[in-house]
Amino acid sequence: MEYRKLGSLDVSAIGLGTLRTFDVTDDDEIAVRRRIVDNCLKSDVNLIDTAAWYGHAEQVVGEITEDLRDQFYIATKVRTEGKAAGEAQIARSFELLKTGYIDLFQVHNMIDWQTHLPTLERLKGEGKVGMVGVSAMVPDAYPTIMDLMRQRRVDAVQIPYNVLNRSAEDEVLPLAEELGTGVLVMEPLQKGRYVLELKQQPDLTPLRDYGINTWAQALLAWVISDRRVSSAIPTTSRPERVQENAQAAAAAELPQPFRDYIRSEAERCL
Ligand SMILES: NC(=O)c1ccc[n+]([C@@H]2O[C@H](COP(=O)([O-])OP(=O)(O)OC[C@H]3O[C@@H](n4cnc5c(N)ncnc54)[C@H](OP(=O)(O)O)[C@@H]3O)[C@@H](O)[C@H]2O)c1
């Protein structure tokens, strides 16, 4: 596994997302998520991203990582409106995640960020939060995000960035590099669509020397071979895919011509 700086942390270049996949309550389903987390440990994946908004995901992550807290960096998000509601949701995240310290606390999709950032900044000052961040799904939010980056109010941003969605490339990623802001990449597989909705099978032959054996690995390698990315955080409900996805980190130094090849295969096959 390749580790990269996210603030003072060394995070795995492939992390784990929990949207949809960790919103489970059934014991058998929770047991599968336990295997997913076990496979993160086996694959040296040390970053888990979740959110208050993801149904039961924080609770499931909290139950599974309670005795493994020192093995993972935990990122979560607040998403509500108003100071009191924000503070209550943030307090609940600490409870559900069964921890007194959250490594990265983000404002989800910038919702009511003017209210929540001061709360998170206070918690950072109190040592309960390691880093403050924001997530945003649409380029309309990028000017505000970049202002916050320049003002050094955020340590990390979470944005979509993948082979066919390169809106962060023009300004956000260069600024992150200049300022040393952490970058988490959401939806590296476009919610799985880029793997499931292929019209033709991509030819992986030229990528095999880089340890890329599946199309999902190619897509992830494309993302993390941009060195401005701290971690791509694909999610899965299948334990074996954790290892498959983590192995994409072997291609973290993929040269640009191979990135271009993956992009042209994506354009041909999607
Ligand atoms: N606004 C925000 O802040 C925001 C928005 C979106 C996402 N996020 C974060 O980013 C994370 C990732 O985004 P995402 O979950 O939407 O999408 P994603 O990671 O791009 O795609 C996840 C989907 O891809 C499939 N998949 C994973 N590995 C695979 C593989 N090796 N081969 C084939 N299919 C594979 C999974 O299906 P299976 O379960 O069948 O494996 C899952 O449905 C989220 O979990 C969340 O933590 C944040």
Side-chain angles (χ1 to χ4, degrees):
M1 178 55 67
E2 157 141 347
Y3 294 93
R4 299 196 179 159
K5 284 289 170 203
L6 179 69
S8 60
L9 309 181
D10 290 309
V11 295
S12 49
I14 299 290
L16 179 75
T18 58
L19 173 59
R20 299 178 300 276
T21 50
F22 273 61
D23 181 17
V24 292
T25 50
D26 178 85
D27 284 348
D28 291 344
E29 290 293 334
I30 292 173
V32 172
R33 275 65 196 172
R34 222 173 260 288
R35 283 170 51 214
I36 288 175
V37 171
D38 276 350
N39 282 350
C40 284
L41 286 176
K42 285 181 191 147
S43 306
D44 300 322
V45 168
N46 69 1
L47 173 66
I48 301 178
D49 177 75
T50 187
W53 190 254
Y54 297 169
H56 296 91
E58 280 187 328
Q59 186 174 352
V60 172
V61 170
E63 276 174 25
I64 295 175
T65 60
E66 188 177 11
D67 298 325
L68 303 168
R69 188 60 192 87
D70 56 346
Q71 308 280 320
F72 289 103
Y73 298 124
I74 303 284
T76 193
K77 314 184 192 81
V78 56
R79 176 171 175 162
T80 184
E81 299 211 20
K83 187 167 188 294
E87 287 178 349
Q89 193 181 77
I90 290 166
R92 184 83 178 132
S93 290
F94 280 95
E95 264 173 48
L96 292 172
L97 288 165
K98 296 184 186 284
T99 182
Y101 181 82
I102 290 173
D103 300 280
L104 170 62
F105 220 124
Q106 305 151 102
V107 179
H108 203 155
N109 286 353
M110 303 288 284
I111 291 170
D112 203 5
W113 64 267
Q114 295 94 332
T115 302
H116 302 315
L117 265 194
T119 305
L120 296 178
E121 286 166 342
R122 174 175 56 77
L123 289 169
K124 185 178 166 182
E126 291 170 4
K128 294 177 181 151
V129 162
M131 284 180 286
V132 171
V134 288
S135 75
M137 298 197 72
V138 288
D140 285 359
Y142 292 171
T144 311
I145 283 188
M146 289 191 295
D147 281 347
L148 294 173
M149 289 162 74
R150 287 191 197 94
Q151 292 165 30
R152 307 268 180 191
R153 289 192 71 190
V154 291
D155 306 294
V157 293
Q158 183 173 153
I159 43 146
Y161 180 47
N162 60 49
V163 71
L164 297 182
N165 177 356
R166 297 164 55 206
S167 54
E169 232 169 29
D170 295 338
E171 294 185 286
V172 175
L173 290 173
L175 186 64
E177 183 177 36
E178 181 191 326
L179 299 173
T181 312
V183 175
L184 298 191
V185 171
M186 62 169 80
E187 298 188 351
L189 306 174
Q190 196 64 35
K191 300 191 174 74
R193 284 187 208 128
Y194 286 175
V195 193
L196 293 174
E197 296 178 9
L198 288 166
K199 295 196 218 80
Q200 315 182 57
Q201 279 308 308
D203 178 8
L204 301 178
T205 314
L207 304 169
R208 303 239 188 250
D209 285 350
Y210 287 91
I212 294 172
N213 292 304
T214 69
W215 180 233
Q217 289 173 341
L219 293 168
L220 293 170
W222 186 93
V223 175
I224 60 166
S225 51
D226 185 324
R227 314 289 306 172
R228 299 168 296 189
V229 170
S230 312
S231 185
I233 50 168
T235 192
T236 183
S237 55
R238 300 203 204 177
E240 69 280 7
R241 286 186 168 165
V242 172
Q243 280 130 325
E244 177 188 340
N245 294 346
Q247 277 160 18
E253 308 266 358
L254 197 64
Q256 190 59 38
F258 292 89
R259 295 186 83 224
D260 294 343
Y261 174 76
I262 293 169
R263 187 148 65 89
S264 66
E265 282 300 89
E267 282 164 0
R268 184 176 71 83
C269 299
L270 278 163

